[in-house]
Amino acid sequence: MSVSARDALIALLVAEYGELRRRLTSRLGSADAANEALQDTYVRLRRAEELAEVRNPRSYLLRMAMNIGINRFRSEARHLSAADVAELVELPDDSPDPEQIIGARADLKLVEQALEGLPERRRAMFRGFWVENAGYRDIALQFNVSERTVRNEILLATRYLHKVTDEIFVDRLQKSASQPVPSVEANEQ
């Protein structure tokens, strides 16, 4: 009784399992992935109809298992795991709370007030660059000045705003730091 090509491949898979697993582990990057690929290879061979004669059975088995492993990676990459979903659910909400929104609006109002202290042209150039995203060239054409003048005006406006807002924010921090922090015991009463 002659052995079929399918049965010969199954026998070779069983006999060479350790070596095939070692080679697949290095190629797939995981011993678990190699084991799963070899198990699926075995199942597919058992289910297969009669196969034609294979020239290089070891290479055939290795390539078949590699393809199965790669297809499994691709399939798993399309879906989130339960751990991924749980991690996403546990992500903290980064949106600002009402207190942060009020603080940001107050800070913006302070910056707007500080901008009023700038000469009109400098203020307009600063707004054009930072608020309207206009380039130096566009601003220079609008005001009929050189790009170097625009860069200088924006630099001066930026330095001025840093100085004024730093003074305001430092003053605010010093005031809040000087206020006593309520103790834990006072909250428990």
Side-chain angles (χ1 to χ4, degrees):
M1 180 163 129
S2 69
V3 177
S4 70
R6 181 185 70 127
D7 292 338
L9 286 170
I10 291 172
L12 182 62
L13 175 65
V14 171
E16 299 282 328
Y17 187 87
E19 177 62 18
L20 289 168
R21 180 174 176 263
R22 183 189 65 75
R23 292 177 73 184
L24 279 172
T25 298
S26 69
R27 291 184 182 179
L28 295 175
S30 161
D32 291 336
N35 283 332
E36 290 175 9
L38 287 170
Q39 288 171 4
D40 286 350
T41 302
Y42 178 82
V43 169
R44 286 190 186 180
L45 286 172
R46 294 291 297 177
R47 290 184 183 161
E49 299 291 324
E50 194 56 36
L51 298 172
E53 202 63 36
V54 176
R55 285 189 192 164
N56 191 338
R58 279 185 189 85
S59 295
Y60 180 86
L61 287 174
L62 187 61
R63 174 62 25 224
M64 185 178 182
M66 273 293 297
N67 288 340
I68 289 170
I70 289 168
N71 288 341
R72 180 179 294 254
F73 281 137
R74 288 179 183 155
S75 175
E76 290 174 357
R78 289 187 204 128
H79 306 288
L80 292 175
S81 68
D84 292 336
V85 171
E87 189 176 313
L88 287 173
V89 169
E90 296 297 321
L91 283 177
D93 184 10
D94 290 337
S95 59
D97 60 22
E99 186 177 314
Q100 289 172 322
I101 291 170
I102 291 170
R105 286 182 181 158
D107 292 347
L108 184 59
K109 191 173 184 177
L110 289 173
V111 170
E112 290 288 338
Q113 289 171 351
L115 277 174
E116 293 302 318
L118 290 172
E120 187 176 332
R121 184 179 85 166
R122 189 174 294 165
R123 181 174 54 240
M125 288 180 179
F126 181 85
R127 284 182 188 274
F129 184 77
W130 289 108
V131 178
E132 298 164 12
N133 294 320
Y136 293 134
R137 185 174 194 188
D138 295 333
I139 296 170
L141 289 172
Q142 180 183 353
F143 289 94
N144 198 24
V145 295
S146 69
E147 289 182 43
R148 183 176 179 176
T149 300
V150 172
R151 277 193 288 275
N152 189 45
E153 290 291 333
I154 292 171
L155 177 66
L156 291 172
T158 304
R159 285 180 179 166
Y160 169 78
L161 283 175
H162 277 279
K163 180 179 178 242
V164 171
T165 55
D166 280 350
E167 290 172 2
I168 294 169
F169 295 133
V170 167
D171 185 48
R172 188 189 308 162
L173 280 173
Q174 287 174 342
K175 285 181 184 175
S176 67
S178 66
Q179 295 177 357
V181 178
S183 67
V184 176
E185 295 169 0
N187 290 336
E188 292 176 356
Q189 291 176 358

